Amino acid sequence: MSIIGLEKPHSLTQSLWDSEQIREGERQAAASAGIALYELMSRAGLAVFELARRQWPQARHWWVFTGGGNNGGDGYVVARLARSAGIRVQLVQLGDADALAGDAALARDHYRADGGAIESLGALQGRPDLVIDALLGTGLKGEVREAVRQHIRRINDTGAPVLSVDLPSGLCADTGRLLGETVRASLTLSFVGLKPGLLTGRGPDVCGRVCLADLGIQPRLQQVPVARLLHWEQERRALPTRRQGAHKGEAGRLLIAGGNEGMNGAVRLAGEAALRCATGLVRIVSHPAHAQLLNLHRPELMTAAFPEFSHWDWGDALVLGPGLGRDPWAEALFDAAMDSGLPMVIDADALYFLAGNKVRLPAVRPWVLTPHPGEAAVLLECSLADVEADRMAAVRTIQRQYGGVVVLKGAGSLIANEHHVSLCHYGNPGMASGGMGDLLSGIIGAFMAQGVSPALAAPLAVCLHGLAGDRAAAEGMLGLLASDLLSPLRSLINQVDENDNK
């Protein structure tokens, strides 16, 4: 059995499964390995105990909150091990402890046989050094009941570090929705396989650092994962290479169309990002009011004004949408760009026009759509809440309706093509600032202009963008600007293997 984090790629962190797959997979894997399910529960409890001791070695007073399912059984195993190690344990059972059944009841009985007591919520006093959250497991789908909310509030009010067992109680394992009151964990130890809800939607808000314990059975899982987890060290293999005698024409020509009056910064950021990602030539097609001003401080950018510009065949790829707007000029630019037939990235207000033109979508769509949740709602003709309630379903539906590759941005960005979904765990809250999406569009376009297929360019760019944001945030997340990522972008694409771990 191994416990790992997500900082480095590992065979255990390549895939994500939904909760039903994990439940069924555990039964099948345990049976094929000749392991009793109670043995898996014991391994899970031991993994939590060992991780807790490693992370908080000075913690001598633990509160353990247990629920009515197997998660609660894991909690009883943890509590028994902690008491054996001389730690003061106060265990609170949600509901009637005598109503437990199966393996959870067996774990309760072993805890009691070793002298462990079960206390009420009201009996807790003072402040513990550590809280173990084993209230609710992966089966939770609906809103948590009031009795559960009271326990969750008590956990959150302690001010002590919290280690959640499998996932924070109140979080939907499959979607990342908060189902009413939710435990805010310092650290979450997931079992067997990672669940999407830990890493997308609201999951990153409440999970803290995420680790995984395979319990010795993940290699025996027979289910097909619902998504794969991206790691830069692997995605970077798709970076375009350049021969020694290369010239700029071989490094790709990218058109970037948008930049309505008063919104020239978006196309400028996309253009600079494309240059920093090694595109040979970048031309910005924007509003006549400022087209000639865009390269004053970045002379490497070429500019053109629309509607005078008509040389769409100049480009190898096209980014359409940054700073586009929704007026007649924007619509005319959208129509002209769509008629170009170029491989393209469609972002921002271009997604609004795309949604209004469903009836005349081209048969071949070599494009990448990059909506944030609000734009995804426009594409799907639903509410923002509907999108955020199940981001995985939303990105799949957009891909089915519009084709190509779809990047649903946000914490735990999702990338869907016709074959599978990927999830990116890089990035940080400091990236919630203007221009970050424009930067991403320029990065994707840069790789497409250099001949990388949309299916490879999108995950490569999302990974690079998120990791560059993490590098740029080293001096602090707050006040992070999109342009702060330009230097890390260049550094990361020039990284060589022997320096990866520095």
Side-chain angles (χ1 to χ4, degrees):
M1 180 176 66
S2 56
I3 300 175
I4 59 169
L6 306 182
E7 290 78 9
K8 293 290 180 183
H10 191 286
S11 60
L12 300 184
T13 61
Q14 300 306 296
S15 304
L16 298 104
W17 289 268
D18 66 31
S19 55
E20 182 55 38
Q21 286 181 312
I22 292 293
R23 280 194 294 274
E24 181 60 28
E26 282 179 351
R27 288 191 290 268
Q28 293 174 349
S32 68
I35 300 172
L37 289 177
Y38 182 73
E39 169 62 21
L40 285 186
M41 182 175 288
S42 298
R43 292 183 184 184
L46 176 61
V48 172
F49 171 72
E50 290 182 340
L51 182 59
R53 291 283 278 173
R54 186 160 69 241
Q55 293 296 315
W56 297 282
Q58 305 305 317
R60 305 303 302 166
H61 179 198
W62 295 10
W63 286 358
V64 179
F65 286 75
T66 61
N70 283 344
N71 238 41
D74 299 337
Y76 277 103
V77 174
V78 175
R80 178 172 54 81
L81 292 171
R83 290 188 74 257
S84 297
I87 295 168
R88 180 189 173 199
V89 173
Q90 290 183 275
L91 183 144
V92 175
Q93 170 70 52
L94 173 66
D96 184 3
D98 292 327
L100 293 176
D103 294 321
L106 187 56
R108 174 206 61 203
D109 292 344
H110 286 171
Y111 170 73
R112 279 175 164 166
D114 283 352
I118 300 172
E119 304 185 40
S120 66
L121 188 64
L124 297 176
Q125 294 181 348
R127 181 183 183 275
D129 301 322
L130 176 67
V131 177
I132 305 296
D133 160 35
L135 282 173
L136 303 174
T138 59
L140 180 68
K141 303 299 181 188
E143 297 283 309
V144 296
R145 296 175 287 108
E146 179 55 33
V148 183
R149 290 171 184 257
Q150 292 176 10
H151 287 70
I152 291 174
R153 290 188 200 114
R154 189 61 183 274
I155 292 172
N156 289 337
D157 289 345
T158 62
V162 179
L163 171 53
S164 282
V165 176
D166 213 8
L167 79 166
S169 296
L171 175 70
C172 178
D174 297 338
T175 66
R177 285 177 58 209
L178 302 186
L179 300 172
E181 208 87 23
T182 309
V183 168
R184 297 190 297 272
S186 311
L187 178 63
T188 298
L189 180 60
S190 185
F191 298 136
V192 182
L194 293 171
K195 294 85 180 172
L198 297 170
L199 302 172
T200 193
R202 296 295 302 278
D205 290 341
V206 297
C207 288
R209 181 168 173 248
V210 176
C211 292
L212 174 67
D214 70 328
L215 305 187
I217 64 169
Q218 193 195 74
R220 294 178 178 268
L221 289 181
Q222 300 173 17
Q223 288 77 4
V224 177
V226 296
R228 68 187 183 100
L229 190 65
L230 299 178
H231 291 287
W232 170 243
E233 287 86 347
Q234 295 168 346
E235 297 306 313
R236 58 170 293 191
R237 297 170 187 168
L239 283 169
T241 57
R242 186 176 293 187
R243 66 184 181 89
Q244 288 295 321
H247 58 79
K248 62 189 176 186
E250 291 182 30
R253 300 182 179 200
L254 180 65
L255 287 167
I256 300 176
N260 206 331
E261 193 168 11
M263 293 187 286
N264 55 317
V267 284
R268 167 70 183 270
L269 283 168
E272 289 209 42
L275 289 174
R276 289 300 185 191
C277 290
T279 310
L281 295 166
V282 177
R283 174 170 284 162
I284 296 175
V285 182
S286 66
H287 196 280
H290 54 238
Q292 305 308 316
L293 305 177
L294 286 171
N295 60 355
L296 282 179
H297 299 287
R298 181 55 64 205
E300 296 88 349
L301 290 168
M302 294 182 286
T303 64
F306 183 81
E308 289 81 3
F309 177 81
S310 60
H311 303 296
W312 298 100
D313 58 351
W314 177 87
D316 297 309
L318 166 67
V319 174
L320 174 59
L324 181 62
R326 299 185 183 182
D327 62 8
W329 177 88
E331 187 168 12
L333 177 56
F334 174 85
D335 290 339
M338 290 293 289
D339 289 342
S340 72
L342 289 172
M344 67 179 73
V345 181
I346 304 179
D347 185 28
D349 282 324
L351 295 167
Y352 164 81
F353 289 114
L354 185 70
N357 285 270
K358 280 185 183 179
V359 293
R360 57 189 186 96
L361 294 179
V364 179
R365 305 170 202 170
W367 59 34
V368 178
L369 311 183
T370 59
H372 58 53
E375 292 159 347
V378 172
L379 291 170
L380 294 174
E381 300 180 89
C382 67
S383 70
L384 174 61
D386 290 335
V387 172
E388 290 291 69
D390 194 339
R391 287 168 52 84
M392 191 78 74
V395 75
R396 287 190 181 118
T397 304
I398 295 171
Q399 198 286 322
R400 284 196 302 268
Q401 291 185 11
Y402 292 89
V405 180
V406 179
V407 177
L408 180 55
K409 296 181 288 194
S413 290
L414 299 171
I415 304 102
N417 60 35
E418 59 182 328
H419 301 297
H420 60 256
V421 177
S422 302
L423 188 151
C424 179
H425 68 285
Y426 299 115
N428 61 81
M431 297 175 72
S433 64
M436 289 291 179
D438 306 312
L439 211 70
L440 175 61
S441 294
I443 299 169
I444 301 172
F447 295 138
M448 289 172 61
Q450 294 174 72
V452 182
S453 70
L456 292 177
L460 171 64
V462 171
C463 244
L464 174 61
H465 179 255
L467 189 54
D470 289 341
R471 295 282 179 91
E475 298 177 8
M477 290 186 296
L478 299 183
L480 188 65
L481 302 180
S483 56
D484 293 335
L485 275 62
L486 293 171
S487 179
L489 286 176
R490 183 184 178 195
S491 174
L492 285 163
I493 66 168
N494 283 287
Q495 221 172 30
V496 293
D497 290 340
E498 60 263 33
N499 292 326
D500 278 353
N501 294 321
K502 286 189 177 178

